[in-house]
Amino acid sequence: MQALIFDCDGVLVDTERDGHRVAFNEAFQKHGLDVEWDVEQYAELLKVGGGKERMKHYFDQNGYPEEVNDQEAFIKTLHADKTEIFMDLIKSGKLPVRPGIKRIIDEALGEAIQVMICSTSNVKAVTAIAETLVGIERKKRMKGIFAGDMAKKKKPDPEIYNLAKTTLELDPKQCLVIEDSRNGLLAAKAAGMHCLVTLSTYTIHEDLKEADRIVPDMENDGEPLTLEDLKNLII
């Protein structure tokens, strides 16, 4: 194994339901919008990769406020406010890291395997999760964070994984990606990488047949996955 690559939302922390969704709704409220995404509606919206893209899809379908003249600027402003709200939630420490994540990162770093994060979420938010929840010392030892607008195309497009592959000169056949969604799984596979899926709140019923393995989390209901287990997926 040359590299162990983590998605962020739903993998490091199960943030979608009680993090991003809440932050979107607070941003809508701040701007006086009569919009609130409930749990089921947000599950559908998650089929669109990227926060700005998700909001654009919603407002394209449901209409923009009458006073909005510049739709792109409107989305950017909303997303900036949403990101700040989300970061405050992360810094509060109320969202726990998913089981086994810190342990498996430490095992990989201990064997000099390159560890990184590849996400289509905002890079500031991903960095905040890595530093505040996963741990700043672990984050310092990672090879990098590839996120947000570093990639023009969002998952399931493989651009964010291809960026990491090219930047760090990785052999994709020696890389294992940890994902939680079909979009992420397809992105990893399109980049030629192996993929383990850890199920999260919104992805438990998705079609994940292309995954090399599917588990509830890294602790796997009392049978914790080891680094050797992960290495065996790329042999």
Side-chain angles (χ1 to χ4, degrees):
M1 182 186 291
Q2 184 182 14
L4 182 59
I5 307 173
F6 292 87
D7 175 42
C8 182
D9 296 308
V11 171
L12 300 180
V13 183
D14 197 352
T15 51
E16 292 293 4
R17 173 174 172 157
D18 300 319
H20 286 291
R21 185 184 67 87
V22 171
F24 276 118
N25 286 335
E26 288 190 19
F28 297 150
Q29 187 177 36
K30 176 181 177 180
H31 286 265
L33 302 176
D34 186 22
V35 177
E36 183 172 356
W37 291 346
D38 63 24
V39 173
E40 291 185 2
Q41 183 179 25
Y42 194 63
E44 286 298 311
L45 289 166
L46 280 174
K47 294 177 182 178
V48 179
K52 290 191 290 293
E53 291 80 5
R54 198 166 299 142
M55 286 193 291
K56 182 180 185 303
H57 171 81
Y58 173 83
F59 286 108
D60 283 348
Q61 295 292 319
N62 294 276
Y64 288 79
E66 291 183 2
E67 65 273 16
V68 172
N69 296 316
D70 187 334
Q71 295 177 358
E72 184 177 353
F74 169 71
I75 293 295
K76 284 185 177 180
T77 299
L78 266 181
H79 193 260
D81 288 340
K82 175 262 173 183
T83 298
E84 291 303 316
I85 293 166
F86 178 72
M87 289 178 68
D88 286 342
L89 282 173
I90 294 299
K91 291 174 183 177
S92 73
K94 295 178 180 178
L95 300 177
V97 176
R98 294 197 69 193
I101 289 295
K102 293 180 181 180
R103 173 182 57 80
I104 208 71
I105 288 176
D106 288 342
E107 288 185 28
L109 291 173
E111 292 197 17
I113 292 171
Q114 299 182 68
V115 177
M116 66 208 70
I117 299 172
C118 287
S119 170
T120 51
S121 292
N122 178 275
V123 67
K124 289 171 61 178
V126 175
T127 301
I129 289 173
E131 292 182 347
T132 306
L133 300 179
V134 176
I136 193 165
E137 291 304 317
R138 290 184 183 88
K139 187 262 182 182
K140 287 179 180 177
R141 296 175 65 192
M142 291 181 182
K143 282 295 183 178
I145 291 176
F146 301 87
D149 292 335
M150 292 180 187
K152 294 181 180 180
K153 298 177 182 177
K154 306 303 182 183
K155 300 173 185 177
D157 191 280
E159 184 177 356
I160 197 72
Y161 287 118
N162 286 334
L163 176 64
K165 179 172 63 177
T166 301
T167 303
L168 298 176
E169 298 182 344
L170 301 173
D171 178 354
K173 294 181 181 179
Q174 295 181 5
C175 298
L176 179 66
V177 174
I178 313 295
E179 272 285 358
D180 74 306
S181 69
R182 178 160 181 78
N183 277 351
L185 167 62
L186 293 178
K189 287 295 184 177
M193 299 177 178
H194 302 276
C195 187
L196 168 77
V197 173
T198 57
L199 300 172
S200 63
T201 300
Y202 280 119
T203 65
I204 193 167
H205 299 300
E206 288 189 351
D207 178 5
L208 303 166
K209 62 179 179 292
E210 295 89 352
D212 292 278
R213 187 171 178 182
I214 303 170
V215 293
D217 54 45
M218 300 306 290
E219 293 302 309
N220 196 28
D221 290 335
E223 298 183 6
L225 296 182
T226 66
L227 188 61
E228 289 305 312
D229 291 327
L230 302 189
K231 287 179 180 179
N232 286 336
L233 295 178
I234 66 175
I235 293 176

